[in-house]
Amino acid sequence: MAYWRRSSRQMQAATGQVAVAPGSPVAEKPKSPRSRMMRQYDLVERVRSYNPDTNEDLLNRAYVYAMKAHGTQTRASGDPYFSHPLEVAAILTNLKLDDATIVAALLHDTIEDTEATRAEIDNIFGHEIGALVEGLTKLKRLELVSREAKQAENLRKLLLAIADDVRVLLIKFADRLHNMRTLEFVPHASRRRIAEETLDIYAPLAGRMGMHEMREELEDLSFHVLDPEAYAVVKQRLDALADRNRNLIGEIESQLSKNLQKNGITARVYGRRKQPFSIWTKMERKSVGFEQLSDIYGFRIILSDLEACYRALGVVHTTWPVVPGRFKDYISTPKQNDYRSLHTTVIGPGNQRVELQIRTEEMNQVAEFGIAAHAFYKEGMGSPTERLKHESNAFAWLRHTIGILSDSANPEEFLEHTKLELFHDQVFCFTPKGKLIALPRQANVIDFAYAVHTDVGNSAVGCKINGKFAPLSSELQNGDEVEVLTSQAQSAPPSAWESLAVTGKARAAIRRATRTAVRDQYAGLGRRIVDRLFARAKIEYADDKLKGALPRLARASIEDVMASVGRGELKASDVARAMYPDYKEERLVKYGAKKSLAVKLKLKSPPHPARSASVIPVRGINSDLPVKFAPNGGAVPGDRIVGIVTPGEGITIYPIQSPALKDFEEEPERWLDVRWDIDETMPQRFPARILVHNVNEPGSLAQVATVIAEHDGNIDNISMSRRSPDFTELTIDLEVYDLKHLSAIIAQLRAKAVVAKVERVNG
């Protein structure tokens, strides 16, 4: 029978741990797949041991209902299926959970796997229990294409389900724990997938919720499946170490207790050994062997009050030498999962390194039970969820993580962000006003800015760390005071920041801001295309009129319509037809190549004031429209230009003489009337390409480069090919200010004796 119990040897068979605290909520693995099931009165007595006012009738009815509902169903082990929900309930009794949670655990598979319905459970057991059972049932009804998508979507569903009641999460943890304990009976193909998901999601999530005992068992069970050889090696080393140091834990416990008592401090002291998975990950992280680990043993000192914790710390530090850099005060600065304790390492008896955790009884309850301790050990503050909202930082993190759901474009993106949040330790930094900001290790100022507020992150342009200017990519350390410098001129962050950010919140916000900026660009382009068509057709455009036509365009908002037009998903004529059903599109006449270009040439004449609204201005690469320049030649101010709309990409600007325009002769609806709109006070470079036939002699390339540099041109790229023994052909991509600038460079190159020929390339 698998259940959590009070024992002096915690999980000895599973993990080799030799001694634990009296009263720790630990588990003993089942000795046989067909062990005796717990009876009704056993379950009632377990609940009554911590809740004398338990509703025995409710528990008995749930026991009988679930047993009958599952009937003759069996598990892969051959046990009756009912043994699984019963063991899940047994695990939860060790967390001392309320009657509703225990009953929901007994019923958690009934809606999914039996004829039971939500309405029936509501009728028999009440709406509260029905909601808990349905929250768990929803998690199992998802069938997606890829395993990654399924894992990600399961996490999304889990977090959304527990947004209403965190007890769903506690039942899910217990459900996963019992499934992991009996994983040996699952087909081998599924075993590894389940273990990976447990190690990737459930174990770190349990740790983030402060449930460290649960996390450690889930990690070790997963480790045993995923890397049995490594598990066996670590386990063997631990057993050998236990034999060599058989009395060491008892000696250290005794000495600690005597020294504390001598100083008038009453404490409960107990030692424990680290778990195989914890040891293995530390060996990998620090690239050390088992023999080099000096902190395999840890000891907890449990005291009555906060003052006694610091007095005990003083006794310890004055009795044994302290290992420098190993003291951490998580009482004054708790972890985000509400963990509070003093950590220190000393050179104890026999020159053995000893890790110590000093905490009160209440802190110990939170350290072991996590959010369950907040939800069910406190009274007088309403429902468990209400108590969590007031007291639990872990619950606040949970709500923040759920908030990221709306910012994630797909399940895999959300899973990536959440894993980043789950797997990092923390650093604590401060704003100039003293507000504490907790971040994952290796986080930088970008992460800090978004942790303060999304708008601060989006407008960040610089920072000061401890009063000194520093790059935004600077990694933060514990205790840093960070001042983020912002600018209203920056409305969206550079997309490159996404690769620099560490936290899920920052990455999600950057990605969202980038998507919004791109959408705004397409919406701006779409609006200009629509305005142009309406101006030429001499019909009135009004947002109010378009709003009434949205159902006909199958779009939710005016911005969606404009963005679709900008991307090429909708035609401007479709918008006009939706607003004016009698609108008839002007027929487009096909022209031959020469006449088509002549017509386009006419469009490029200086715009008349009366029709200037229909001409789209081009401001360059950094335009507020999705603009790019033609490949293999570009375009520069002074060129007569035309815009070609490419669906999903925006506008490509071609000089009118570009031979590439012939490819679009049969698609006149893609041609746009565009003009240059250059700010003379802020010169900007534009792309151009030239072809240089150079005499093949030493120094000739240097002379060409010197001419370009002396005339303030910038060489972006250069390629060379040998056409004859005497001449080399250079293809040079330049950046110049305008056509006059480009012509001056070409003229100076032609004047050089080493240059035989220079011409501009357009496509």
Side-chain angles (χ1 to χ4, degrees):
M1 179 172 65
Y3 60 88
W4 293 55
R5 70 175 191 178
R6 300 179 187 272
S7 170
S8 62
R9 297 176 65 84
Q10 179 181 352
M11 292 173 58
Q12 183 176 2
T15 62
Q17 187 168 312
V18 297
V20 297
S24 291
V26 296
E28 183 179 275
K29 292 190 73 177
K31 297 181 176 63
S32 165
R34 295 183 179 275
S35 53
R36 179 182 69 83
M37 283 199 303
M38 183 169 28
R39 289 166 291 189
Q40 281 178 255
Y41 71 83
D42 291 327
L43 178 63
V44 172
E45 285 303 313
R46 292 174 71 94
V47 179
R48 194 204 299 277
S49 67
Y50 64 85
N51 180 15
D53 298 324
T54 183
N55 187 337
E56 294 183 29
D57 177 62
L58 180 66
L59 294 173
N60 286 325
R61 280 190 287 121
Y63 186 103
V64 173
Y65 181 91
M67 183 169 62
K68 288 182 177 179
H70 288 293
T72 58
Q73 293 175 353
T74 58
R75 304 196 79 212
S77 64
D79 283 340
Y81 191 90
F82 177 57
S83 65
H84 168 64
L86 191 57
E87 294 301 335
V88 172
I91 290 170
L92 294 173
T93 61
N94 281 277
L95 295 175
K96 302 183 180 181
L97 302 190
D98 63 337
D99 290 350
T101 311
I102 303 300
V103 170
L106 290 171
L107 305 176
H108 79 271
D109 280 334
T110 53
I111 294 179
E112 177 68 21
D113 297 331
T114 75
E115 300 298 319
T117 64
R118 165 71 191 275
E120 187 177 61
I121 290 176
D122 278 358
N123 185 49
I124 298 173
F125 300 102
H127 175 77
E128 180 186 11
I129 291 171
L132 288 172
V133 175
E134 186 175 55
L136 288 151
T137 303
K138 286 179 180 178
L139 303 179
K140 297 186 177 182
R141 290 183 173 167
L142 217 56
E143 292 298 332
L144 298 172
V145 176
S146 69
R147 182 178 70 80
E148 292 78 10
K150 186 170 184 178
Q151 184 187 88
E153 191 62 25
N154 275 339
L155 179 58
R156 286 170 69 111
K157 296 286 283 185
L158 173 65
L159 293 180
L160 287 172
I162 62 180
D164 295 327
D165 198 325
V166 76
R167 290 175 292 181
V168 173
L169 178 62
L170 301 178
I171 299 170
K172 187 61 182 175
F173 279 151
D175 175 52
R176 179 53 62 117
L177 180 59
H178 185 251
N179 284 333
M180 287 301 297
R181 289 175 179 171
T182 56
L183 199 59
E184 60 190 287
F185 304 110
V186 173
H188 191 271
S190 302
R191 205 178 301 168
R192 186 173 185 86
R193 174 184 59 78
I194 295 170
E196 283 179 350
E197 186 176 70
T198 300
L199 197 59
D200 279 354
I201 293 177
Y202 289 97
L205 187 56
R208 198 63 190 256
M209 295 298 100
M211 305 174 73
H212 300 293
E213 301 285 344
M214 179 83 74
R215 184 203 68 203
E216 287 182 346
E217 187 176 357
L218 289 172
E219 286 175 343
D220 270 6
L221 291 169
S222 302
F223 181 37
H224 188 262
V225 171
L226 297 174
D227 198 342
E229 292 183 7
Y231 179 89
V233 169
V234 176
K235 176 70 164 55
Q236 185 180 11
R237 295 291 187 88
L238 286 172
D239 290 342
L241 187 66
D243 288 338
R244 289 199 306 271
N245 300 320
R246 190 175 301 275
N247 300 318
L248 180 63
I249 290 179
E251 290 176 7
I252 295 176
E253 285 178 356
S254 177
Q255 286 204 31
L256 280 170
S257 297
K258 287 179 181 177
N259 281 332
L260 291 170
Q261 196 168 8
K262 192 185 300 180
N263 287 272
I265 301 172
T266 302
R268 179 162 60 92
V269 181
Y270 61 92
R272 65 195 302 270
R273 199 175 65 195
K274 286 191 175 179
Q275 305 289 2
F277 179 76
S278 174
I279 291 172
W280 176 255
T281 52
K282 187 166 186 177
M283 289 166 61
E284 282 197 320
R285 186 175 70 252
K286 296 197 171 183
S287 300
V288 297
F290 185 88
E291 294 77 8
Q292 295 171 276
L293 295 176
S294 56
D295 54 357
I296 292 174
Y297 295 106
F299 292 82
R300 291 175 182 168
I301 302 174
I302 312 300
L303 300 121
S304 57
D305 57 67
L306 184 63
E307 183 186 355
C309 292
Y310 287 97
R311 286 171 55 210
L313 178 68
V315 171
V316 169
H317 280 187
T318 54
T319 304
W320 293 289
V322 179
V323 177
R326 299 283 293 176
F327 171 68
K328 294 176 182 176
D329 187 344
Y330 292 119
I331 292 179
S332 64
T333 310
K335 291 187 177 182
Q336 265 190 317
N337 60 9
D338 302 312
Y339 178 87
R340 301 174 72 207
S341 186
L342 298 174
H343 287 201
T344 189
T345 302
V346 298
I347 307 298
N351 288 323
Q352 177 74 38
R353 270 197 183 196
V354 180
E355 277 193 344
L356 298 174
Q357 297 171 356
I358 305 171
R359 59 178 75 137
T360 66
E361 193 69 56
E362 182 181 356
M363 294 174 194
N364 196 49
Q365 293 289 339
V366 174
E368 292 179 347
F369 294 104
I371 55 173
H374 277 295
F376 305 105
Y377 281 93
K378 303 289 184 182
E379 297 180 356
M381 291 185 66
S383 68
T385 301
E386 285 301 314
R387 290 198 287 273
L388 277 170
K389 286 179 181 178
H390 282 90
E391 296 191 25
S392 174
N393 289 320
F395 189 78
W397 174 86
L398 203 56
R399 301 289 297 182
H400 150 70
T401 304
I402 292 168
I404 295 178
L405 285 170
S406 60
D407 300 335
S408 303
N410 53 59
E412 291 88 343
E413 180 183 317
F414 172 67
L415 181 65
E416 170 201 348
H417 297 336
T418 307
K419 281 185 178 180
L420 285 169
E421 296 273 352
L422 289 175
F423 280 114
H424 285 81
D425 290 332
Q426 292 177 299
V427 293
F428 298 94
C429 302
F430 298 89
T431 67
K433 292 184 178 180
K435 181 182 177 182
L436 179 67
I437 302 292
L439 295 166
R441 290 205 177 276
Q442 299 181 338
N444 54 41
V445 181
I446 295 172
D447 300 299
F448 181 92
Y450 280 101
V452 173
H453 196 279
T454 302
D455 291 342
V456 174
N458 287 341
S459 59
V461 293
C463 73
K464 289 181 180 179
I465 300 177
N466 301 322
K468 296 181 180 179
F469 286 101
L472 287 170
S473 58
S474 301
E475 184 176 327
L476 298 175
Q477 306 297 324
N478 268 319
D480 281 346
E481 181 185 287
V482 184
E483 179 184 355
V484 179
L485 308 177
T486 61
S487 170
Q488 296 303 316
Q490 177 168 294
S491 57
S495 58
W497 280 10
E498 187 184 345
S499 62
L500 298 175
V502 171
T503 61
K505 179 178 181 180
R507 288 190 173 186
I510 294 164
R511 195 171 296 181
R512 184 174 69 254
T514 302
R515 284 198 297 262
T516 301
V518 171
R519 182 179 181 276
D520 290 345
Q521 281 191 328
Y522 282 118
L525 171 60
R527 185 171 288 277
R528 297 186 187 206
I529 292 173
V530 169
D531 288 344
R532 171 176 171 263
L533 180 138
F534 275 65
R536 288 184 171 179
K538 297 182 179 179
I539 54 178
E540 180 187 358
Y541 171 82
D543 281 351
D544 290 341
K545 194 169 185 65
L546 177 56
K547 192 176 294 183
L550 290 176
R552 291 192 286 277
L553 294 168
R555 297 296 189 276
S557 67
I558 292 173
E559 287 301 302
D560 286 344
V561 171
M562 297 306 177
S564 296
V565 173
R567 291 192 186 95
E569 298 165 358
L570 273 179
K571 293 182 180 179
S573 56
D574 295 334
V575 178
R577 198 173 295 110
M579 295 171 64
Y580 297 95
D582 57 346
Y583 167 77
K584 291 183 180 180
E585 187 175 1
E586 183 181 343
R587 294 182 71 83
L588 294 163
V589 181
K590 290 187 178 181
Y591 297 91
K594 189 175 293 185
K595 191 169 184 182
S596 174
L597 287 176
V599 170
K600 297 303 171 187
L601 186 65
K602 183 178 179 181
L603 293 178
K604 300 282 90 55
S605 58
H608 188 277
R611 68 180 192 93
S612 61
S614 69
V615 182
I616 296 174
V618 176
R619 296 186 177 90
I621 297 294
N622 296 323
S623 171
D624 58 352
L625 299 176
V627 170
K628 63 179 181 179
F629 288 89
N632 305 323
V636 298
D639 285 332
R640 305 176 89 173
I641 53 175
V642 66
I644 300 295
V645 176
T646 303
E649 294 183 10
I651 309 172
T652 304
I653 305 299
Y654 290 88
I656 200 67
Q657 68 271 21
S658 174
L661 289 173
K662 291 181 181 179
D663 296 338
F664 308 107
E665 286 180 4
E666 301 299 319
E667 302 175 277
E669 69 278 2
R670 292 179 59 184
W671 294 62
L672 288 180
D673 195 1
V674 296
R675 61 176 171 80
W676 294 108
D677 184 15
I678 306 303
D679 186 351
E680 300 291 344
T681 63
M682 298 180 65
Q684 183 179 353
R685 295 179 185 272
F686 294 84
R689 175 174 288 183
I690 59 175
L691 192 65
V692 180
H693 294 266
N694 207 34
V695 176
N696 184 24
E697 65 177 46
S700 60
L701 177 59
Q703 292 186 52
V704 170
T706 299
V707 168
I708 295 172
E710 287 176 347
H711 287 77
D712 200 20
N714 182 54
I715 298 177
D716 189 52
N717 189 36
I718 187 167
S719 61
M720 304 173 63
S721 60
R722 183 71 58 82
R723 297 298 184 187
S724 69
D726 298 326
F727 292 94
T728 299
E729 188 175 274
L730 307 177
T731 302
I732 303 174
D733 288 325
L734 295 174
E735 290 180 344
V736 296
Y737 294 115
D738 52 30
L739 185 59
K740 182 179 179 181
H741 186 199
L742 176 62
S743 299
I745 291 175
I746 291 175
Q748 290 299 316
L749 287 172
R750 286 173 177 163
K752 284 290 180 182
V754 295
V755 175
K757 181 181 178 183
V758 184
E759 58 184 350
R760 184 180 175 189
V761 179
N762 287 118

